Amino acid sequence: MSSVTLISLVLTGCGPQDSAPKTSLFEDDHAVAKHRPDDLADVAVKLRERIGREDASEQTKHEIEDLVSWTAEIAADTNLSEFDWLPLYHASESLAKNLRSVEGTLTDKNRKQIESHCELVDQTVGQIPEPHSSLVKDQP
């Protein structure tokens, strides 16, 4: 390759160039699932909606497994201390393992376990510390 071509490739890049700048390094990597919770409290809401359905479809069962597996990650994005986060992490891991072991079957026992998980999520939400007022922007 000639040095002019090489310099041209370096300056312009190899891929298509969009006029709008990226807002995230990962925005092209994956789509966010529609059932992804907005916050930790929403995990319990979405789980309760799904276990309340009498005849859960395969899609509903898959979404339940996703929600359980996302619980610890979403909790980690809060201001929880590690001490308050760990019980939720362990409960999520245990419940996810139980759900995998029954291969997507949603039994009454599963539903009770999921409801207990929701109660733990609710309790944990109550332990999230408020942001420091010095870090919050003054509103007019």
Side-chain angles (χ1 to χ4, degrees):
M1 285 174 58
S2 73
S3 58
V4 173
T5 306
L6 183 58
I7 291 171
S8 173
L9 281 174
V10 170
L11 292 176
T12 61
C14 297
Q17 301 295 315
D18 293 336
S19 60
K22 285 187 175 186
T23 57
S24 167
L25 295 175
F26 304 106
E27 70 185 27
D28 293 330
D29 293 344
H30 64 282
V32 176
K34 289 183 180 181
H35 61 283
R36 177 120 178 132
D38 296 328
D39 56 23
L40 188 57
D42 198 30
V43 171
V45 170
K46 290 184 184 299
L47 280 170
R48 285 184 174 116
E49 287 173 355
R50 283 152 181 82
I51 63 172
R53 299 174 185 163
E54 290 300 318
D55 55 339
S57 67
E58 287 300 314
Q59 178 66 29
T60 299
K61 293 172 192 172
H62 177 71
E63 290 177 6
I64 289 170
E65 290 173 4
D66 285 346
L67 290 162
V68 169
S69 69
W70 292 333
T71 304
E73 175 187 343
I74 292 168
D77 289 339
T78 67
N79 293 333
L80 280 172
S81 68
E82 183 177 1
F83 178 81
D84 292 330
W85 175 80
L86 276 173
L88 192 56
Y89 167 75
H90 291 300
S92 298
E93 291 293 308
S94 177
L95 180 55
K97 183 178 177 182
N98 288 346
L99 291 173
R100 283 191 302 270
S101 72
V102 294
E103 298 177 4
T105 304
L106 196 57
T107 64
D108 287 339
K109 183 179 177 183
N110 296 132
R111 291 175 197 271
K112 288 178 184 175
Q113 288 176 323
I114 294 167
E115 180 55 42
S116 293
H117 185 72
C118 290
E119 290 171 10
L120 179 59
V121 168
D122 291 339
Q123 291 169 2
T124 305
V125 166
Q127 296 170 335
I128 298 173
E130 293 294 322
H132 296 299
S133 59
S134 63
L135 299 177
V136 178
K137 256 185 158 175
D138 291 332
Q139 295 182 1

